[in-house]
Amino acid sequence: MSTSSSSEPPPFSRVKIRVGALVFCRNEVALIRRDRPGSVHYTPPGGNVEPGEDLVAALRRELAEELDLHPHQATAPELLWVADQRVSRPGPTPPPRKLHLLYRLHVSPEVREVLAVEEYDERADGGYEVGVVEWIDHRRTAELPLFPLVGAALAALPDPHAPVTDAALPAATDDTYAWV
């Protein structure tokens, strides 16, 4: 058995929880497009749950920060899918294992009209990465570079209100996803 002189934990030994929202307006879902040098990817609005924070409170906080969406403007959040992430990523610290809890909400066209169209994600250097909020027909999401890997399941929903019988999505691992 080898020992390491580093005090860093091994990859995936820390667990983080991320809440995400699949916010529907009719057949379209709100996704945040991030343009980076050499790549484009989409994510559902959401973010990491702070230590001790209630899951739904974290979801509401993230929706207010990213979409300017408040609880009275949408249906109650419904846990739809759980996605396990064990993906190596660049950086000096070992990657965490991340559990993505994806909730479904619905908004009216009137609410959609007043929601944010850009999202500002603070970077470590104090600047911001700007994400563009796009409303995309959920049936077209299988072809998108969408993370977590929910595009195929989202596109397979017969309609935005369809019940889901299996909440577990396939895991994202180094074999199924390359960090962008």
Side-chain angles (χ1 to χ4, degrees):
M1 173 202 255
S2 68
T3 59
S4 171
S5 62
S6 170
S7 63
E8 291 291 334
F12 315 120
S13 63
R14 295 176 301 124
V15 177
K16 288 187 165 189
I17 298 173
R18 183 184 190 280
V19 290
L22 298 168
V23 179
F24 285 93
C25 181
R26 297 187 175 138
N27 282 326
E28 294 183 320
V29 64
L31 298 173
I32 299 173
R33 188 188 81 228
R34 299 200 186 281
D35 300 314
R36 295 189 174 146
S39 73
V40 172
H41 75 277
Y42 292 82
T43 60
N48 291 329
V49 176
E50 300 296 329
E53 188 176 25
D54 177 81
L55 297 174
V56 173
L59 181 70
R60 289 183 173 141
R61 174 182 51 76
E62 290 290 344
L63 287 171
E65 290 173 4
E66 296 187 359
L67 294 181
D68 199 23
L69 177 64
H70 302 281
H72 69 278
Q73 295 175 299
T75 60
E78 168 196 7
L79 182 61
L80 193 63
W81 289 308
V82 177
D84 185 6
Q85 171 192 330
R86 295 181 311 276
V87 177
S88 299
R89 59 177 168 72
T93 60
R97 181 176 190 169
K98 195 173 279 193
L99 295 177
H100 297 264
L101 306 178
L102 295 152
Y103 292 83
R104 172 169 48 188
L105 299 91
H106 297 272
V107 298
S108 69
E110 294 77 21
V111 168
R112 175 181 165 175
E113 288 300 316
V114 299
L115 296 179
V117 296
E118 291 183 330
E119 186 270 336
Y120 299 89
D121 199 16
E122 191 171 355
R123 295 187 314 222
D125 66 5
Y128 290 92
E129 177 182 48
V130 179
V132 177
V133 178
E134 290 188 9
W135 291 85
I136 298 170
D137 189 304
H138 75 94
R139 297 164 291 199
R140 290 189 26 240
T141 57
E143 299 89 35
L144 291 179
L146 178 58
F147 194 81
L149 306 177
V150 299
L154 189 54
L157 287 175
D159 70 73
H161 296 276
V164 171
T165 57
D166 185 2
L169 292 175
T173 67
D174 288 334
D175 293 332
T176 60
Y177 184 80
W179 197 262
V180 292

